[in-house]
Amino acid sequence: MARTRDQADREALTALWERRWPDTEPVGYELGRDERDTWVRFHSLPESKRYPDDEREYAIVLERHNTVLDELFTGSEVHVMVPRWSDRPSAPRMHWDTRHWRSWLCDEDPEFPYYCHVFVERRPWRRGSLDRLLRRVADDREGGVIIAGAGLRRLYHPYDGGADVYLTTAEERDRLKERHFGWLSVHPSGW
């Protein structure tokens, strides 16, 4: 039986992911930080406040996310990766234009197995185009999201409270840190 274009696209994305991010599942919190000299964390609100309380604070959160995303991806396409967890090996239905990419068993407990299913959408990057998703992340209603360049060299993992950014070199990371120094954690490890 011939492979469909969708199968070929998923296989190519899987091969690229495994080459760029070996031994790592495509879920934001699985990426690791300490061993990577290309990682930086930005907080999404002043004074490292975790959750926005009003529209003014949501505007700050979205401005910070979109500013860094613009610097990383303007003029290119991105993969938007959104995980879902379930107690079934088959992927659940999604309510927006994404396609199922891959699934795996997270816990082999025979009484309570659970699976991770990652959905992906490839789209041109446009400022503000992911604001709805970023608001859900800010409210801790989405987790593990990754926004990646087409070559998977740069990754952006928004979380409730900020974003972890993985760049191509330590020099690129340092330039980004300098531009957004006021958004960095004051914790010595950068957390």
Side-chain angles (χ1 to χ4, degrees), residues 35-179:
E35 70 280 359
R36 301 195 189 278
D37 62 356
T38 59
W39 166 80
V40 62
R41 172 171 280 183
F42 293 115
H43 288 175
S44 54
L45 286 168
E47 299 177 15
S48 300
K49 183 177 179 187
R50 186 124 192 184
Y51 298 103
D53 288 327
D54 55 35
E55 287 305 313
R56 184 186 63 77
E57 289 183 340
Y58 278 108
I60 293 168
V61 168
L62 295 174
E63 176 63 25
R64 288 185 181 191
H65 283 306
N66 280 295
T67 295
V68 176
L69 287 163
D70 272 350
E71 291 177 33
L72 298 176
F73 304 124
T74 292
S76 64
E77 287 192 326
V78 294
H79 293 283
V80 182
M81 302 171 188
V82 179
R84 287 288 182 268
W85 292 267
S86 76
D87 60 357
R88 299 171 190 240
S90 57
R93 292 188 57 114
M94 292 291 277
H95 300 290
W96 60 86
D97 190 27
T98 62
R99 68 183 204 278
H100 176 252
W101 171 27
R102 61 195 283 181
S103 297
W104 63 91
L105 180 62
C106 298
D107 188 341
E108 296 182 28
D109 180 338
E111 291 187 45
F112 303 104
Y114 73 97
Y115 299 82
C116 184
H117 310 280
V118 177
F119 294 81
V120 67
E121 176 188 11
R122 187 168 176 168
R123 60 164 55 203
W125 166 249
R126 283 189 197 81
R127 182 181 191 88
S129 64
L130 296 176
D131 283 0
R132 187 170 154 219
L133 176 63
L134 293 169
R135 278 183 77 119
R136 289 180 57 82
V137 169
D139 289 336
D140 197 21
R141 293 172 48 209
E142 291 284 351
V145 171
I146 297 173
I147 303 162
L152 305 183
R153 293 183 188 277
R154 293 184 178 114
L155 303 182
Y156 189 85
H157 163 51
Y159 67 90
D160 55 318
D164 291 329
V165 185
Y166 299 85
L167 298 145
T168 57
T169 65
E171 293 78 22
E172 183 182 28
R173 178 210 55 205
D174 292 344
R175 287 190 302 272
L176 190 65
K177 283 172 72 170
E178 287 174 20
R179 284 194 300 273

